[in-house]
Amino acid sequence: MGQFTLMAIAVVAAVIGGAIAAKLAGIEIWKGALIGACASVAGVIAFLVPGIDRGLSIPIAGLIGAGISGAAVGLTPTRTAHLAIGAALLPLIGFVLMEMGA
């Protein structure tokens, strides 16, 4: 699989993870999906920028994207953090399993 296929899978997994986290936290599901999508798209944009440290900029871009989108839909930072963690969990598990060769 190529880089862009894996990025698309990660974006979809982040949207699903954000929706699941929102459901578990008692927040509207669309807000979780939106925060997951914004965070993952911000990470993809940071990946495509040439000449920067990707290991540091991608997570920071994701956190900034989640924070801005969470504030835009009226969530507190604590609730946004729960959704950002939920959005990051599924792609993280998938990439760890892929790296382990499972």
Side-chain angles (χ1 to χ4, degrees), residues 8-33:
I9 292 171
V11 169
V12 171
V15 170
I16 293 169
I20 292 170
K23 175 81 171 156
L24 294 174
I27 302 169
E28 292 92 350
I29 293 174
W30 68 269
K31 289 183 181 181

Side-chain angles (χ1 to χ4, degrees), residues 18-96:
I20 292 170
K23 175 81 171 156
L24 294 174
I27 302 169
E28 292 92 350
I29 293 174
W30 68 269
K31 289 183 181 181
L34 177 72
I35 289 172
C38 289
S40 60
V41 168
V44 169
I45 291 171
F47 175 80
L48 297 174
V49 174
I52 60 172
D53 180 22
R54 290 189 176 117
L56 182 62
S57 63
I58 293 173
I60 290 175
L63 288 173
I64 292 170
I68 291 172
S69 61
V73 295
L75 294 177
T76 64
T78 306
R79 289 187 152 217
T80 303
H82 292 295
L83 298 180
I85 291 168
L89 195 58
L90 286 179
L92 177 67
I93 291 171
F95 285 127
V96 167

